Amino acid sequence: LESHMQLIKQSQRTREDVIRESRTMLHHAFDQLEANEEAIGNDIRDRTAEEMNLGKCPVCGGTLAIKHLRGNTQFIGCSRYPDCTFNIGLPMAQWGFAVRTDEKCEKHQLNFVRLVRKGARPWDIGCPLCHQINSNRESLEEIPSADKELVDRIQASHIYTVAELTHGTPEVLAKKLGISADRAATLIRDAGLVLEKLRRRSECRKFMRDRIIPRRGRSSAKILTALKEAGISELSVLAKADSATLKKAGVSDAEAEQLLADAKMAYHSRLLKEIGIPGVSLKKYIAAGIVEPETFCSSPPAALSEKTGMSLSTVQRHVGLVCTYLKRPVPKKFTKLQIERGKKELLAIAGLGATAVEKMFRAGIIDAGLLLSADPGRLAAETGIAEQKIRDYQKVIKRKKDTAIIQL
């Protein structure tokens, strides 16, 4: 084309002539592409697939290859699936698209893997199998029934993660590791407990990453490492932490307060769901400022019912679930009719107005009999009503009882 352009400049060829010849050449090329479309497509797909191959599967000898799925999921799987289920997890594609590099691992003869993302420095994972072994070794060593020698045997049997142990059966695992079926069953049970602990840690890391804004010289990874050294790696522990610990880890004052509030909300909400509080009811409790499970046992069901707008029977059922879970005494149940009658009894006492009765209800005093038997000092502290006034109310009730004006 360049030579033709020179000929046009030298007036040896015309512009129209060159364009006509170029069109003829392009039509000929497209005709060849269309005639061999299937073969060319297969060749491109084969070359693309080949570029994802990393080497032999350590379990069955098949081919390990990088797999990209919808939803940013990517992993390394065996070509002999489903007969061979060996796989290696990779970070989500949002952290970088996994590609093969030319460098190979001398130990496992697998190509290295790199995560590439536009506008960011590549993340070199290196040998995926070495990475799998090293990153999961610490987790395997957390299993109480697995000593160092057993962990070595587990990894030599191509079991690299705690999750893989939980999916096994005692018989198969015992044969693989050369241990008794009873010990294998214990190993699987302990692995399940460690897996749950790892899940909680992962939940805490995600919680922190979603809320900590990266700044110059500070990252969520550094803060998470500092918190882990301080013994905070789960949401339940974070919810009970103090702001000073968070500040020491690199969190600002404002962030620390908000982080603790969010952690308490998230942890307590999850716990109440696990206890059995339905999601619709939980939203009503949260809207009423009732989040901590202990509140269900320390506040009278009647007061919780009034705050949330839910029926007394529903609240009493929820209170029973929470108190049983916390191994606390379940409050005595009252019917709606009993509460209405009790309120009338209290309002009939001279000097006891509607505001004071509401305070009494929040303290669990729903009728004159309970008011009479209450400790004046303790009730005064809970309601904010003067102790002497409470004693006066009790005198009125006792006098009415003695003179049989009202039957208790």
Side-chain angles (χ1 to χ4, degrees), residues 82-157:
D83 295 327
C84 177
T85 58
F86 179 78
N87 67 85
I88 299 174
L90 291 173
M92 298 289 282
Q94 65 192 47
W95 298 103
F97 190 79
V99 297
R100 183 187 75 177
T101 69
D102 294 331
E103 195 173 354
K104 268 194 174 183
C105 173
E106 294 181 1
K107 183 177 181 181
H108 300 114
Q109 293 303 305
L110 293 176
N111 284 83
F112 284 11
V113 173
R114 173 180 292 165
L115 301 184
V116 292
R117 183 173 54 150
K118 187 177 179 181
R121 184 180 297 175
W123 177 2
D124 286 311
I125 289 179
C127 171
L129 189 51
C130 287
H131 184 268
Q132 176 90 329
I133 293 170
N134 297 333
S135 61
N136 288 284
R137 175 86 190 191
E138 185 179 347
S139 301
L140 288 170
E141 290 178 346
E142 286 190 44
I143 301 174
S145 53
D147 55 21
K148 184 180 181 300
E149 186 269 335
L150 183 56
V151 171
D152 290 339
R153 265 194 276 173
I154 290 170
Q155 292 189 325
S157 301

Side-chain angles (χ1 to χ4, degrees), residues 57 59-60 75-78 80-88 164:
C57 172
V59 177
C60 71
F75 68 98
I76 296 168
C78 180
R80 293 181 181 172
Y81 178 85
D83 295 327
C84 177
T85 58
F86 179 78
N87 67 85
I88 299 174
E164 289 175 79

Side-chain angles (χ1 to χ4, degrees), residues 50-346:
E50 174 63 29
E51 289 173 358
M52 294 294 118
N53 292 343
L54 302 176
K56 285 187 177 181
C57 172
V59 177
C60 71
T63 302
L64 289 184
I66 300 170
K67 310 286 184 181
H68 298 99
L69 304 179
R70 292 180 181 178
N72 285 335
T73 300
Q74 52 189 4
F75 68 98
I76 296 168
C78 180
S79 60
R80 293 181 181 172
Y81 178 85
D83 295 327
C84 177
T85 58
F86 179 78
N87 67 85
I88 299 174
L90 291 173
M92 298 289 282
Q94 65 192 47
W95 298 103
F97 190 79
V99 297
R100 183 187 75 177
T101 69
D102 294 331
E103 195 173 354
K104 268 194 174 183
C105 173
E106 294 181 1
K107 183 177 181 181
H108 300 114
Q109 293 303 305
L110 293 176
N111 284 83
F112 284 11
V113 173
R114 173 180 292 165
L115 301 184
V116 292
R117 183 173 54 150
K118 187 177 179 181
R121 184 180 297 175
W123 177 2
D124 286 311
I125 289 179
C127 171
L129 189 51
C130 287
H131 184 268
Q132 176 90 329
I133 293 170
N134 297 333
S135 61
N136 288 284
R137 175 86 190 191
E138 185 179 347
S139 301
L140 288 170
E141 290 178 346
E142 286 190 44
I143 301 174
S145 53
D147 55 21
K148 184 180 181 300
E149 186 269 335
L150 183 56
V151 171
D152 290 339
R153 265 194 276 173
I154 290 170
Q155 292 189 325
S157 301
H158 305 299
I159 300 173
Y160 300 112
T161 66
V162 176
E164 289 175 79
L165 279 175
T166 62
H167 296 151
T169 62
E171 293 74 20
V172 173
L173 196 60
K175 188 176 180 181
K176 275 187 176 182
L177 303 179
I179 59 177
S180 68
D182 289 342
R183 190 180 181 189
T186 301
L187 185 64
I188 292 171
R189 186 197 66 226
D190 289 349
L193 297 175
V194 172
L195 185 63
E196 178 59 25
K197 187 187 292 185
L198 295 174
R199 186 193 65 78
R200 292 196 298 267
R201 288 178 187 170
S202 177
E203 176 190 42
C204 185
R205 286 196 298 271
K206 184 179 184 305
F207 177 87
M208 295 290 287
R209 281 197 298 265
D210 290 345
R211 287 162 177 79
I212 295 176
I213 302 171
R215 294 175 185 165
R216 184 181 294 275
R218 185 191 89 164
S219 67
S220 58
K222 286 183 179 179
I223 293 174
L224 285 169
T225 301
L227 290 176
K228 185 179 179 181
E229 291 173 355
I232 301 173
S233 59
E234 296 182 17
L235 205 55
S236 59
V237 182
L238 179 61
K240 299 171 185 175
D242 56 66
S243 56
T245 304
L246 268 63
K247 293 174 190 174
K248 192 175 179 182
V251 182
S252 68
D253 291 354
E255 285 176 323
E257 295 301 324
Q258 187 61 50
L259 201 60
L260 289 174
D262 290 349
K264 288 176 182 177
M265 177 70 74
Y267 170 66
H268 290 142
S269 296
R270 190 194 69 194
L271 182 58
L272 288 172
K273 279 185 180 178
E274 290 176 358
I275 291 171
I277 307 301
V280 175
S281 299
L282 184 57
K283 287 181 181 179
K284 293 180 180 179
Y285 285 121
I286 292 173
I290 302 163
V291 180
E292 296 188 9
E294 289 76 9
T295 307
F296 285 75
C297 302
S298 60
S299 301
L304 296 178
S305 174
E306 190 171 330
K307 280 185 178 181
T308 59
M310 289 188 283
S311 69
L312 180 62
S313 60
T314 298
V315 171
Q316 287 177 332
R317 185 170 67 254
H318 295 163
V319 168
L321 288 171
V322 176
C323 292
T324 301
Y325 176 85
L326 296 177
K327 297 180 180 178
R328 300 270 292 273
V330 179
K332 182 180 177 182
K333 290 184 179 181
F334 296 97
T335 65
K336 189 175 181 180
L337 182 60
Q338 285 177 306
I339 289 175
E340 288 175 354
R341 285 177 178 172
K343 184 174 283 190
K344 287 180 180 179
E345 285 182 5
L346 292 172

Side-chain angles (χ1 to χ4, degrees), residues 384-397:
I385 301 172
E387 183 178 339
Q388 187 55 51
K389 277 192 174 184
I390 293 173
R391 293 184 184 278
D392 291 341
Y393 298 147
Q394 290 176 329
K395 286 178 182 178
V396 172
I397 297 170

